[in-house]
Amino acid sequence: MKRQLIKGVALLSLAWGLVAGAVVPTLADTLDRIKERGKLVVGVKSDYKPWGFIDAAGNLAGMEIDMAHDVAQRLGVKLELIPVQTANRIEFLQQGKIDLIIATMSDNPKRRETVGIIEPLYYAGGTNALLRKGAGISSWQDVRGKKLCGTQGAYYNKRVAELYGAEIIAFAGNPEAMNALLGGNCIGFVQDSTFIGSTLASGDAKWADYEMTLPTEDEQGWGIAVPLAELNGPYGDFMRKMVTDWHRSGKLIDIERKWGIKPSPFLQTMNKMYR
Amino acid sequence: METVWEWFRWLDKAHGIDLSVFYDAGDRHRFLMGFLTTILLSMTCLVSSLAIGFIGAWAQQSRFRPARLAVGAFIQFFRNTPPLVQLYFFYFAIGGMLPKLADASGMASPMFGSFFWAAVSLSLFGGAFNIEIFRAGIEAVPRATIEAAESLGFSKGQIFRLVAFPLALRFSLRALNNNMVNLVKTTSLAYAIGVPELLYVSAQIWSDQLNTREMMTLLLFSYVGLVGAMVWGMHRLERALRMPGYGQ
């Protein structure tokens, strides 16, 4: 019994060592690797219409997918898209499963310690909530003690819970959270203002009884990301140039219009700044 | 105590091992609540799955054919579908169809929340296996023992309750133990419908702190501890109920 226990402890410590000491694969020169392989692998959203979603034909489509295509084209390589979740995209990049994140990711200091967020940022959105009409919520203070659906891994869950005392029920993806909202499991869905805006603007009859009445808060820029080690290397430089060009040429504004997204003031400002 | 917490903050700063649940009071509270939810959900599911196992095994012995058929159908349904799919089915399909009640603010809300549906779904899932485990135990009860009870004038119900089931329970303990371990681990699936259990809170914490590696490891060890404690208890029970001549 005792020997078994010692053996068990030894095994567990070994497991711990493996996990804790696991070396992140060397990701130096991703740019060379991409060109050599002839393929760029980008992590994109598949449940964030119209930034990244699955269209009627079953293909990934949307504003961010167009951006990914543009990067691949500029590099002269093929494009592979991998659908990612908010909660796993950073690990995918760290593990080298994807080369680039273009997945509605907000910029924040904690994330900057982990992945190489490219500046300039390419978009901006804030926190808001898709609310059931008649829920009696007219200010953020009114959500105290109320149930709000959310998406796991979203940075604003903690903020809304701590600042306004809402009870957040977070689901694996947007469709589950929206289904739970439609099923009456919560009075609202905490999300990015851009996403809610486009959901409401889609004209889908399901959302006729829902509204976005709260002021958008805590505006955050969205950044594409490369592995941290390469932020200041050739790969990071290439992506920085890419985003700057997008802003200068007004390409992002064009793509935004193409997908019927309400024009974002952020893109207008950036376009003026770089032109 | 504060010194211990501070040591973990130092560990993060000095070695980049970020166990925020130890030095950050907010994360600690979240993690603790997640742990309690897992324990509560496990307890609820264990107790009700045992009850389902008992009732099911009893109904399987019944002379009433529809009861036997119903138990068979129940087992096939819940044993042959993935527990995650069952959770989604109960929460989104069944939960969405039930009549809604008005809550405090007058809004129509579902009668039951995610914890309730997780408990129902996992209990039925575990229960389906328990019925088969008990059945195997009942079939292992020596025929002669049942005949002896019959000759003493026990009714069929009495034989089941007083003779067959207690012996069967003893025979079933090992297999039951396995299934209970499985059930406790399966509670982690409840994260998919937003039950704030261990996996759910850990996912929230690693999304905020980006300490995925540390949280995954801590999560693994939390389950080792939880399941280990339960298995230890079950082994004590096995020893206490040991019957010489009937195996260990």
Side-chain angles (χ1 to χ4, degrees):
Chain A
M1 185 66 198
K2 205 165 180 186
R3 260 180 73 183
Q4 262 183 337
L5 196 73
I6 293 171
K7 252 186 177 164
V9 170
L11 265 175
L12 288 180
S13 359
L14 183 69
W16 170 270
L18 284 177
V19 176
V23 199
V24 178
T26 8
L27 287 166
D29 297 334
T30 300
L31 198 58
D32 291 342
R33 207 160 47 91
I34 294 166
K35 285 178 178 161
E36 207 171 287
R37 190 172 58 179
K39 189 174 77 180
L40 172 73
V41 187
V42 184
V44 293
K45 282 285 178 78
S46 60
D47 60 359
Y48 211 100
K49 201 175 179 178
W51 282 267
F53 66 103
I54 295 172
D55 67 9
N59 299 314
L60 283 161
M63 174 161 176
E64 293 182 331
I65 281 79
D66 285 357
M67 291 164 61
H69 275 290
D70 202 33
V71 179
Q73 200 183 10
R74 185 86 66 92
L75 283 166
V77 295
K78 279 206 278 271
L79 176 67
E80 183 183 334
L81 296 167
I82 296 207
V84 295
Q85 302 276 337
T86 298
N88 67 18
R89 58 193 169 187
I90 288 174
E91 282 72 44
F92 277 14
L93 184 69
Q94 287 179 320
Q95 291 161 1
K97 193 176 156 87
I98 55 177
D99 304 320
L100 190 65
I101 297 178
I102 313 184
T104 68
M105 188 172 74
S106 314
D107 176 24
N108 70 41
K110 194 86 197 176
R111 283 177 180 161
R112 278 179 186 233
E113 288 173 19
T114 329
V115 288
I117 295 183
I118 300 291
E119 283 181 284
L121 303 170
Y122 68 91
Y123 212 79
T127 307
N128 212 315
L130 179 59
L131 293 166
R132 282 158 80 182
K133 280 183 185 162
I137 308 286
S138 51
S139 79
W140 279 103
Q141 269 69 31
D142 295 338
V143 301
R144 181 164 299 280
K146 299 274 168 58
K147 284 184 182 142
L148 289 177
C149 289
T151 314
Q152 279 166 20
Y155 69 94
Y156 35 73
N157 291 350
K158 191 180 180 187
R159 185 176 171 276
V160 172
E162 282 177 357
L163 215 52
Y164 302 117
E167 186 190 334
I168 308 277
I169 315 173
F171 292 84
N174 287 332
E176 289 92 339
M178 292 165 94
N179 255 309
L181 174 64
L182 288 170
N185 294 288
C186 41
I187 57 152
F189 174 37
V190 187
Q191 246 293 356
D192 197 281
S193 54
T194 55
F195 183 81
I196 299 172
S198 67
T199 303
L200 289 172
S202 70
D204 192 333
K206 293 200 275 229
W207 301 111
D209 289 331
Y210 295 81
E211 58 188 0
M212 177 166 74
T213 48
L214 296 176
T216 296
E217 285 212 335
D218 191 29
E219 187 138 290
Q220 304 273 335
W222 294 4
I224 65 179
V226 298
L228 186 58
E230 299 188 58
L231 182 59
N232 297 312
Y235 186 36
D237 288 339
F238 174 82
M239 291 316 306
R240 250 189 296 281
K241 201 162 160 290
M242 196 82 214
V243 182
T244 312
D245 281 354
W246 278 337
H247 282 307
R248 181 182 301 127
S249 64
K251 185 167 175 85
L252 290 176
I253 298 175
D254 292 344
I255 309 181
E256 186 187 44
R257 192 179 306 125
K258 172 186 162 191
W259 291 105
I261 303 167
K262 206 170 105 195
S264 126
F266 174 81
L267 287 186
Q268 310 292 333
T269 315
M270 293 303 264
N271 181 237
K272 279 198 193 83
M273 203 164 104
Y274 283 101
R275 200 164 46 196
Chain B
M1 207 60 206
E2 218 30 60
T3 348
V4 178
W5 301 146
E6 281 313 307
W7 184 80
F8 283 101
R9 195 186 294 279
W10 168 83
L11 192 67
D12 178 28
K13 288 278 167 287
H15 296 286
I17 298 175
D18 182 8
L19 286 161
S20 61
V21 293
F22 291 112
Y23 66 76
D24 183 302
D27 283 356
R28 186 160 63 230
H29 179 73
R30 281 203 277 182
F31 193 75
L32 214 61
M33 293 316 284
F35 206 83
L36 288 178
T37 307
T38 290
I39 292 176
L40 193 63
L41 184 60
S42 300
M43 291 294 206
T44 314
C45 293
L46 289 176
V47 170
S48 39
S49 76
L50 285 174
I52 291 169
F54 176 79
I55 296 167
W58 170 75
Q60 240 178 6
Q61 305 292 309
S62 156
R63 253 172 300 193
F64 187 51
R65 194 154 170 268
R68 292 201 306 271
L69 287 177
V71 174
F74 170 78
I75 292 171
Q76 293 310 324
F77 187 80
F78 284 100
R79 202 181 52 178
N80 301 355
T81 47
L84 180 59
V85 177
Q86 291 172 12
L87 275 171
Y88 277 148
F89 169 73
F90 277 105
Y91 186 73
F92 287 112
I94 303 284
M97 275 174 359
L98 290 182
K100 306 236 186 307
L101 303 174
D103 67 8
S105 56
M107 300 293 288
S109 305
M111 285 154 76
F112 306 110
S114 50
F115 184 93
F116 174 86
W117 286 119
V120 167
S121 146
L122 294 172
S123 300
L124 293 174
F125 174 70
F129 284 90
N130 282 349
I131 295 175
E132 288 293 83
I133 289 169
F134 285 142
R135 205 247 299 258
I138 289 167
E139 283 171 1
V141 175
R143 188 70 212 135
T145 313
I146 306 292
E147 279 164 5
E150 276 167 354
S151 69
L152 286 171
F154 280 63
S155 74
K156 209 170 154 58
Q158 280 174 322
I159 293 174
F160 182 79
R161 267 186 304 115
L162 303 171
V163 182
F165 195 78
L167 282 171
L169 183 68
R170 180 62 195 83
F171 296 141
S172 309
L173 274 182
R174 281 282 159 102
L176 207 56
N177 204 352
N178 264 344
N179 194 36
M180 284 165 74
V181 167
N182 237 331
L183 196 56
V184 171
K185 294 188 296 187
T186 312
T187 57
S188 63
L189 288 180
Y191 93 101
I193 55 168
V195 177
E197 46 71 66
L198 261 180
L199 179 57
Y200 176 97
V201 293
S202 303
Q204 296 288 315
I205 292 171
W206 80 56
S207 300
D208 293 335
Q209 306 284 0
L210 300 176
N211 53 353
T212 318
R213 218 175 353 152
E214 293 88 337
M215 284 313 298
M216 293 263 185
T217 314
L218 185 64
L219 191 57
L220 192 81
F221 281 83
S222 304
Y223 275 106
V224 170
L226 196 63
V227 174
M230 196 189 79
V231 168
W232 179 78
M234 284 296 286
H235 280 165
R236 285 200 56 148
L237 185 69
E238 273 182 48
R239 269 207 301 280
L241 296 180
R242 197 173 78 90
M243 290 184 297
Y246 278 95
Q248 290 304 304

